[in-house]
Amino acid sequence: MEITSKQIKVPTSTRNTVQRALVLGAVQSLHHHPTSADVYEVVRAQYPNISRATVYRNLGVLAKKGEVFRVEVPNGADRYDFHNEPHYHLKCRVCGRVFDADMPHMPNLADAITDTHGFHIEAHQIIFEGVCFDCQS
Amino acid sequence: MEITSKQIKVPTSTRNTVQRALVLGAVQSLHHHPTSADVYEVVRAQYPNISRATVYRNLGVLAKKGEVFRVEVPNGADRYDFHNEPHYHLKCRVCGRVFDADMPHMPNLADAITDTHGFHIEAHQIIFEGVCFDCQS
DNA sequence: GTAATTAATGATAAACAATCCCAATAGGGA
DNA sequence: TCCCTATTGGGATTGTTTATCATTAATTAC
């Protein structure tokens, strides 16, 4: 019985650690939806001893708290975004970068499904795939 | 420069091997979008010496040839479907199973994007997340 | 039918993302 | 300042997929 949702337990109280602040700052400073590896590199420049596990853990905690937004991309590392309104994404199949789609969110999209066979829908995501401007040359 | 699309090279001619036929048969016999591990188990019952690598390779080749459809699910193994018309999916966040969404495909969905900044869109996918009927109890 | 060509296979190693484990550390309330 | 426990570091581990390579076997040409 596979559990696919992230199993980060958020305790009743959270603490403000230097590492967590640096992770949040890194996500906010980076655009193009950084991966955990991107975040790790930036944070390590300021805090060389930080562990990869700490970066992963804090990205998970910050995502649960709603301070960053996790984009779960098929076939690639998760990506993180600092703005939190639901939106859709473009993924370049050449370089792997992820961009925000400039189109309105459709909260009622699931209404178009005629029969869910009892499936309870909580959210949806749309990913457009193609080739970004830089990779077309 | 990460390459995220599958790098299975399809030669000019392909051969009809027993293993490939068994892999195709397994995908066709299984519903709920089997993973490569599911396919491997079924095929191994008929052909005990098959290698996992062969299953992966053949799923890739069959997907490229259009004989099976690959569903690239975020945060989980790829899943395979034997019917090939574009459609959307429901993914249970508890058991990880993937179901087909009973809703029409929207080939012109990308037209709703006002500005792609030169991004060339080739396809899109929609994944609805929630809890399936079985996992609600 | 036989030989030649090369796609495909099996087994294993490796790449990659992400999580688990656990002893040590440190944040923050009392 | 003391205590509790959230958090950390670092390495081990899991899970999925691809790469490598010597060997096998499917197809083509003869």
Side-chain angles (χ1 to χ4, degrees), chain A residues 2 4 6 72 74-75 91 93-94 102-103 112 114 118-120 122-127 129-131 136, chain B residues 2 4 6 72 74-75 91 93-94 102-103 112 114 118-120 122-127 129-131 136:
Chain A
E2 175 199 6
T4 56
K6 306 286 174 170
E72 300 184 341
N75 271 298
K91 182 194 172 193
R93 64 171 171 76
V94 178
D102 191 357
M103 83 181 261
T114 52
F119 194 103
H120 177 245
E122 297 172 341
H124 71 266
Q125 65 166 312
I126 305 180
I127 296 180
E129 286 207 25
V131 184
Q136 283 170 30
Chain B
E2 175 197 7
T4 58
K6 306 285 174 167
E72 300 184 341
N75 271 298
K91 184 193 172 193
R93 64 171 171 76
V94 177
D102 192 357
M103 81 182 262
T114 51
F119 195 102
H120 177 244
E122 296 172 342
H124 71 267
Q125 66 166 313
I126 305 180
I127 296 180
E129 286 207 25
V131 184
Q136 284 170 29

Side-chain angles (χ1 to χ4, degrees), chain A residues 15-81:
Chain A
R15 293 174 182 174
N16 299 321
T17 63
V18 197
Q19 292 93 331
R20 185 164 299 161
L22 289 172
V23 167
L24 178 57
V27 174
Q28 288 171 338
S29 77
L30 293 168
H31 297 176
H32 293 318
H33 303 76
T35 64
S36 79
D38 299 329
V39 174
Y40 174 68
E41 259 190 59
V42 168
V43 174
R44 202 172 43 149
Q46 304 164 274
Y47 197 100
N49 281 352
I50 197 165
S51 166
R52 281 175 201 278
T54 298
V55 173
Y56 275 108
R57 275 184 302 238
N58 277 321
L59 287 171
V61 170
L62 293 169
K64 273 248 158 102
K65 289 178 28 173
E67 297 185 36
V68 302
F69 183 70
R70 171 155 33 202
V71 190
E72 300 184 341
V73 185
N75 271 298
D78 288 353
R79 288 162 180 279
Y80 296 87
D81 193 350

Side-chain angles (χ1 to χ4, degrees), chain B residues 89-101:
Chain B
H89 295 96
L90 309 164
K91 184 193 172 193
C92 176
R93 64 171 171 76
V94 177
C95 67
R97 279 187 296 176
V98 171
F99 304 86
D100 287 338

Side-chain angles (χ1 to χ4, degrees), chain B residues 6-62:
Chain B
K6 306 285 174 167
Q7 293 301 301
I8 305 272
K9 44 171 169 282
V10 178
T12 44
S13 70
T14 57
R15 294 175 183 174
N16 299 322
T17 64
V18 197
Q19 292 93 332
R20 183 164 299 160
L22 289 172
V23 167
L24 178 57
V27 174
Q28 288 170 338
S29 75
L30 293 168
H31 298 177
H32 293 320
H33 302 77
T35 63
S36 79
D38 299 329
V39 174
Y40 174 67
E41 259 189 59
V42 168
V43 174
R44 201 171 42 148
Q46 305 164 274
Y47 197 101
N49 280 351
I50 197 166
S51 166
R52 282 176 200 277
T54 299
V55 174
Y56 275 108
R57 275 185 301 237
N58 278 319
L59 287 172
V61 171
L62 293 168

